[in-house]
Amino acid sequence: MSKRLDSWKDIATYLERDESTVRRWEKEGLPVHRHVHKSKASVYAYETEIDVWWHDDRARLESAETAPARRSRGAMYWPAAGLLVLLSAGLGLNVAGVRDRLLGQPLAGEVTAIAVLPLKNLSGDTGQDYFVDGMTEALITELGKISSLQVLSYQSVIGYRKTTKPLPLIARELKVEALLEGAVLRSGDRVRITANLVRAVPERHLWAETYEFDPRDILAVQGEVARSVARQIRVRLTPQEQARLTTSRRVDPEAYRAYLLGRAYFYKTSTPTNLKRAKEYFETAIERDPGYAPAYAGLAELYAARTGSGGLTRDPKDARLQARQWAEKARKLDDTLAEPHVALARVAQQEWDWAGAEREYQRAIELNPSDSAARIWYAIYLYAMQRFEEAVAQAQHAQQLDPVSPLINTWAGAAYFFAGRAEEAMASWQKALELDPGFSDASIVLARAYVTKGMYQRAIAELQKAMILNARDPFILGALAHAYARASQREEALKLVGELKRIQAERGNMPTFPFIWAYAGLGDNDQAFAWLEKSYQERRDRMVWLNVDPLLEPLRSDPRFGDLVRRIGLPTK
């Protein structure tokens, strides 16, 4: 077992240097550990970790320490004109990164993008995977609060949980310069986290730290890890970001456990059972610790994402009210969380409060610039407002943060399509379907593009394929009925309308837009507008796309359509 050095004096003696030198070397990556909630002097290190670091960095450090000063004292008094000449040359040639530093651009080799790889579960108990995965997501969220750093999403990294790929290859695949990896051991009333920061190319160990703490201090430790990473890769933190990454609040361990289980079920397939379990765990977390804001934010996200699906409640209005209630509570407890603002933005859209929705999206992105969900929902909002180039910018950023999300690739493709970028749109939709062949939204959005181009048989083929993996999905049925009708296969379209009516009789609560699409394709405007009016009264979420949905094109010449657009308050370009 590696010998532990329990003070700065012991570390300095081991390295045969004075204390001030080794304290300075901490900023260069010297692997020093701190006891959580103890004084700064309470440090320790392991000889083996120091040996590895010293082997890698000794030559660089010693050359820096001993380099003689070559400038004469007279150099301090160069004429101002000469200084300006040199400065201009430095800017023109970017000598030593002068231009980049002065213009606020990253230097070559600086870390601007990072991925947190799934932390390893050292307990040997697979039942603890949810806890370890939750810690991974929490570190991503904390680092995401740093505006000068792009942090890849949890969904993009979780596939690397059991990978044996070398780190440089992972970094190339994720298009990042650095990787944070580590492990978690939860044992009794203690938690130990080991974090290792590695530069990918050239591969070089930058920093390592081990934190052992009471589970109640887990929030403080997450912030400390994020701040340490920021120090090591030399990103600048604004005073606001520094404050967001610093917390002394403790959390009830059982509340935190329940919250992480809620997140685990939230990410599972969206079945009624999984939604119910997520809701129950978030409620348990609130019961155990009523002041823990993320649990309220979890409920807000859950309801905001289901306002049109009936997964948690049959009444869309009730879902909106629940989402708003929980989001407001979370925001009052902790206004540094981005998630409540995304939930409030989505609710505001359904209340036709377009300015309020944009304000909440922008606040969410300000709080967590690496929140890919906030960016893609903002992109959807922007193209609904017919601000297509702005939508593209947000969609591109979302894809960079979460390149393996079928949802993000689907709706980014829609942003490209509305902006006239057909090739980029097609590439995004194809990627979404490669990632998840059963992702119905991707098939529907792709089919809509075919309908727009008059390629009805291609649209029909795409939707028929989607039906194999999504039997009796109302949205696929409605889009397919539309495509059949536009292709002059009226009888086939009417059969699908009959199937939609049977599903409605069986389920009671039914999405409205499948009927709208079907009747729009059939040319039955009266029925289409009856369902649109129902959508308006119930404030259904897809009403936001009234101006841009290609399957509504046959209705746009009807005066009732313009009246509906005005009532909702959408732009009337």
Side-chain angles (χ1 to χ4, degrees):
M1 180 177 289
S2 176
K3 183 180 177 182
R4 198 166 98 166
L5 307 170
D6 286 312
S7 66
W8 283 115
K9 182 178 179 182
D10 288 351
I11 297 168
T13 300
Y14 184 71
L15 286 169
E16 298 180 351
R17 294 292 189 277
D18 58 76
E19 283 189 44
S20 62
T21 298
V22 296
R23 284 175 185 266
R24 186 170 64 252
W25 281 354
E26 186 187 9
K27 296 178 182 178
E28 300 293 334
L30 178 66
V32 175
H33 307 278
R34 282 187 169 78
H35 297 287
V36 178
H37 290 314
K38 292 191 177 182
S39 68
K40 273 202 174 284
S42 185
V43 300
Y44 61 96
Y46 294 102
E47 289 183 355
T48 53
E49 292 181 353
I50 287 182
D51 289 344
V52 170
W53 176 83
W54 186 239
H55 177 269
D56 291 341
D57 282 6
R58 177 176 183 173
R60 178 178 62 83
L61 288 168
E62 289 191 328
S63 64
E65 296 281 339
T66 59
R70 294 188 174 89
R71 291 183 300 172
S72 68
R73 184 167 296 215
M76 299 297 291
Y77 302 101
W78 284 356
L83 181 60
L84 285 171
V85 169
L86 283 179
L87 180 58
S88 299
L91 284 169
L93 299 173
N94 201 26
V95 175
V98 168
R99 181 182 64 209
D100 286 345
R101 284 215 181 274
L102 289 178
L103 299 181
Q105 298 171 350
L107 288 171
E110 283 190 348
V111 174
T112 59
I114 189 171
V116 181
L117 296 181
L119 301 176
K120 293 180 174 62
N121 177 8
L122 298 184
S123 71
D125 177 8
T126 56
Q128 293 295 314
D129 283 349
Y130 78 90
F131 184 85
V132 178
D133 289 344
M135 289 296 300
T136 302
E137 185 184 11
L139 289 177
I140 290 169
T141 299
E142 289 298 293
L143 286 166
K145 296 175 181 177
I146 303 171
S147 59
S148 57
L149 189 62
Q150 181 171 292
V151 187
L152 265 69
S153 74
Y154 172 75
Q155 296 296 334
S156 290
V157 300
I158 200 63
Y160 289 91
R161 181 191 278 128
K162 296 181 180 178
T163 188
T164 57
K165 294 178 180 179
L167 294 180
L169 176 58
I170 295 173
R172 281 199 301 274
E173 290 178 351
L174 295 175
K175 298 179 181 178
V176 298
E177 297 104 9
L179 298 166
L180 181 66
E181 57 177 356
V184 179
L185 177 61
R186 187 179 180 212
S187 179
D189 61 352
R190 302 295 290 172
V191 176
R192 186 168 77 238
I193 297 176
T194 301
N196 298 292
L197 182 64
V198 179
R199 173 179 282 284
V201 180
E203 186 173 359
R204 177 167 169 262
H205 184 267
L206 297 177
W207 167 79
E209 184 69 277
T210 298
Y211 303 84
E212 187 169 323
F213 54 93
D214 185 313
R216 290 173 295 180
D217 297 321
I218 201 161
L219 305 182
V221 172
Q222 290 163 0
E224 171 59 27
V225 173
R227 292 196 305 276
S228 296
V229 169
R231 283 196 299 271
Q232 296 303 320
I233 61 178
R234 296 177 173 83
V235 298
R236 298 183 184 90
L237 296 181
T238 67
Q240 294 86 353
E241 290 165 353
Q242 185 76 32
R244 288 172 201 149
L245 293 172
T246 305
T247 180
S248 58
R249 188 193 188 283
R250 303 187 111 191
V251 62
D252 179 272
E254 287 305 308
Y256 190 71
R257 173 182 173 277
Y259 168 72
L260 293 185
L261 284 166
R263 298 297 302 177
Y265 277 100
F266 181 78
Y267 283 123
K268 287 177 182 276
T269 305
S270 185
T271 65
T273 299
N274 287 339
L275 294 175
K276 183 182 177 186
R277 294 296 298 277
K279 174 177 175 287
E280 289 171 347
Y281 278 119
F282 288 141
E283 289 172 341
T284 298
I286 290 168
E287 201 175 299
R288 294 284 314 201
D289 190 341
Y292 184 50
Y296 296 97
L299 281 175
E301 286 185 275
L302 200 59
Y303 278 101
R306 303 294 179 272
T307 53
S309 66
L312 291 170
T313 174
R314 289 182 176 274
D315 182 0
K317 181 180 180 181
D318 182 51
R320 288 197 308 275
L321 291 174
Q322 294 272 10
R324 179 175 288 284
Q325 171 191 339
W326 300 122
E328 292 284 10
K329 180 67 174 178
R331 188 167 64 172
K332 285 177 183 175
L333 288 169
D334 184 355
D335 195 34
T336 70
L337 300 178
E339 294 84 357
H341 293 280
V342 177
L344 288 169
R346 296 186 67 182
V347 170
Q349 283 182 183
Q350 291 159 4
E351 295 173 345
W352 323 140
D353 178 8
W354 309 115
E358 180 162 28
R359 191 163 53 247
E360 294 293 351
Y361 281 131
Q362 290 175 341
R363 177 60 174 159
I365 291 168
E366 178 189 348
L367 290 170
N368 189 338
S370 291
D371 188 332
S372 57
R375 289 192 180 273
I376 200 62
W377 287 117
Y378 187 33
I380 291 169
Y381 165 90
L382 288 167
Y383 68 66
M385 298 295 113
Q386 301 179 72
R387 291 157 57 185
F388 300 124
E389 290 305 320
E390 291 176 73
V392 164
Q394 292 297 330
Q396 288 174 330
H397 206 144
Q399 280 184 306
Q400 290 166 2
L401 294 166
D402 199 346
V404 300
S405 165
L407 182 147
I408 284 175
N409 279 290
T410 294
W411 299 114
Y416 302 142
F417 180 77
F418 292 128
R421 304 186 182 196
E423 289 185 11
E424 292 170 83
M426 191 63 67
S428 292
W429 295 328
Q430 288 173 344
K431 184 174 181 181
L433 289 167
E434 285 170 10
L435 290 164
D436 183 356
F439 191 65
S440 59
D441 280 354
S443 295
I444 292 169
V445 174
L446 176 56
R448 289 191 326 192
Y450 288 139
V451 167
T452 302
K453 295 178 181 180
M455 302 166 67
Y456 303 125
Q457 293 306 320
R458 293 284 296 273
I460 289 167
E462 181 62 40
L463 292 165
Q464 287 175 332
K465 187 167 59 177
M467 282 299 298
I468 296 170
L469 297 172
N470 299 275
R472 303 188 86 207
D473 180 299
F475 288 102
I476 296 176
L477 288 169
L480 184 53
H482 182 102
Y484 275 134
R486 298 285 291 275
S488 301
Q489 295 176 250
R490 189 175 181 84
E491 290 304 314
E492 293 298 323
L494 289 171
K495 287 179 186 176
L496 294 182
V497 171
E499 180 67 4
L500 286 171
K501 289 178 178 178
R502 283 188 289 274
I503 294 172
Q504 182 187 25
E506 292 168 12
R507 300 181 184 177
N509 185 51
M510 180 75 174
T512 55
F513 266 76
F515 285 106
I516 295 167
W517 291 340
Y519 287 122
L522 285 161
D524 190 341
N525 284 18
D526 288 344
Q527 281 289 346
F529 277 102
W531 280 97
L532 274 170
E533 188 62 31
K534 179 177 171 62
S535 300
Y536 171 79
Q537 296 298 333
E538 296 177 355
R539 297 180 180 266
R540 294 282 181 159
D541 56 352
R542 286 180 181 262
M543 292 294 283
V544 68
W545 297 322
L546 209 58
N547 273 332
V548 294
D549 186 342
L551 300 188
L552 302 183
E553 187 58 38
L555 305 175
R556 292 202 168 95
S557 60
D558 191 306
R560 289 172 289 185
F561 194 88
D563 176 64
L564 190 57
V565 169
R566 282 189 293 274
R567 279 190 280 157
I568 291 174
L570 286 167
T572 54
K573 288 184 182 179

